Amino acid sequence: MTTTTVRPADKSAAPPPAHGTPGAHRNDPSAVVRHTLTLTWRSLVKLKKQSEQLIDLTLQPILFIVMFVYLFGGAIEGSTHDYLQFVLPGIMVQTVVFASVGTGVGLCTDMSTGVFDRFRSLPISRLAPLAGTVLGDVLRFLVAITSVFVFGTIIGFRFQTNVLAVAAAVGLVLVFAFAFCWVVALLGVSMKQPRTVQGVSFLMMFPLTFGSNLFAKTSTMPGWLQAWVKVNPVTAVTNASRGLLTGGPVAHHAIVALLWALGLMLVFIPLTVRQYNRRA
């Protein structure tokens, strides 16, 4: 009888793990970017199917322009036209800050309905669903900014700089909006009710917007309020936008605004992803 000896398999001859293994490259930078852009497209398609979401983005800034220019413009500046030149850049900033509430509400709604449970089961980065939602909303803010510019031009606002300066103003506002959305996104992944996210967000936004120089010059305010207005990031974004749209100093205010945006992203993106993973 012949005895067959079974030798253990040579581990060195085993094939390497397949690169297509689900999740093998979920944190690869190129994969994160690709997944984020895919989910950004999802947000835009969702907006196309729910176009009523654009109503507040187009009508709210128009209402603010009409209310502040024609109710308070004469009292503040002595002329509605002069006040329109002053206040319109600020209303552009206020519009995107208020619109960021939708980011937190949308994230909270998606998490409560189980959409993000599906995302967690996919071989994609944990950052991608969050970043895709935020980036999709920032692109949505372009509709609001366009509404501000179109209506403002109709009633008499005039750009006093060039096209590149106007584009820089829009870019600066969108960068700050992207950073600020992560603050609201943290609320969205932390709270269980969308209306709670909305309520807490507005409590945070009123001192940021109305406690700035959006609607009045800092020099006209009492000293204790000036101290807050001068360190308010919304003030820096507004000053830079005014300079880029109607002329005036830009560099210092733009640098401060960008530093604020960088700081917000460095702090709140990791906190949001961490809270999202804890909810998992």
Side-chain angles (χ1 to χ4, degrees):
M1 176 181 295
T2 303
T3 303
T4 303
T5 303
V6 180
R7 297 182 179 180
D10 185 0
K11 294 183 179 180
S12 62
H19 290 286
T21 303
H25 298 287
R26 63 191 303 172
N27 293 320
D28 179 70
S30 61
V32 173
V33 172
R34 186 171 64 254
H35 300 155
T36 298
L37 293 178
T38 300
L39 292 172
T40 299
W41 179 251
R42 166 190 174 268
S43 297
L44 296 178
V45 171
K46 182 179 178 181
L47 179 63
K48 181 180 178 181
K49 294 181 179 179
Q50 300 176 0
S51 56
E52 64 273 8
Q53 295 180 16
L54 294 176
I55 294 177
D56 62 327
L57 288 176
T58 53
L59 293 184
Q60 186 185 78
I62 292 175
L63 291 175
F64 270 111
I65 292 173
V66 171
M67 181 174 65
F68 281 94
V69 169
Y70 295 107
L71 286 179
F72 307 116
I76 296 176
E77 285 287 335
S79 165
T80 55
H81 173 74
D82 291 342
Y83 189 63
L84 176 63
Q85 293 294 116
F86 174 82
V87 80
L88 187 133
I91 290 180
M92 176 181 67
V93 177
Q94 184 203 43
T95 298
V96 298
V97 171
F98 275 14
S100 65
V101 175
T103 302
V105 172
L107 284 172
C108 186
T109 301
D110 284 345
M111 294 196 74
S112 62
T113 56
V115 173
F116 275 76
D117 291 333
R118 173 57 179 163
F119 289 154
R120 292 190 191 102
S121 67
L122 298 175
I124 61 176
S125 167
R126 291 294 176 90
L127 174 64
L130 301 171
T133 300
V134 171
L135 187 57
D137 283 345
V138 169
L139 294 176
R140 187 168 58 97
F141 296 162
L142 281 172
V143 177
I145 293 175
T146 302
S147 176
V148 170
F149 284 170
V150 170
F151 184 73
T153 302
I154 290 173
I155 65 174
F157 179 81
R158 295 295 178 263
F159 298 101
Q160 297 176 0
T161 54
N162 53 48
V163 175
L164 291 178
V166 174
V170 174
L172 178 65
V173 171
L174 291 180
V175 169
F176 180 77
F178 178 81
F180 190 78
C181 277
W182 287 100
V183 180
V184 188
L186 178 60
L187 298 177
V189 299
S190 301
M191 299 180 177
K192 296 183 179 180
Q193 295 293 331
R195 55 187 172 183
T196 306
V197 176
Q198 186 175 27
V200 174
S201 298
F202 276 114
L203 285 175
M204 176 179 59
M205 289 175 187
F206 273 101
L208 284 173
T209 54
F210 290 97
S212 69
N213 65 347
L214 282 174
F215 303 109
K217 295 177 180 178
T218 308
S219 59
T220 63
M221 304 175 188
W224 61 268
L225 184 56
Q226 288 188 30
W228 162 248
V229 170
K230 290 177 181 178
V231 299
N232 188 342
V234 172
T235 297
V237 181
T238 302
N239 283 335
S241 299
R242 282 199 181 108
L244 289 166
L245 296 179
T246 62
V250 173
H252 171 73
H253 302 301
I255 291 172
V256 173
L258 291 173
L259 288 175
W260 267 107
L262 178 61
L264 291 174
M265 286 187 283
L266 289 176
V267 172
F268 285 95
I269 290 178
L271 288 177
T272 304
V273 175
R274 179 183 178 186
Q275 182 61 25
Y276 171 71
N277 290 334
R278 290 181 63 185
R279 287 283 296 269

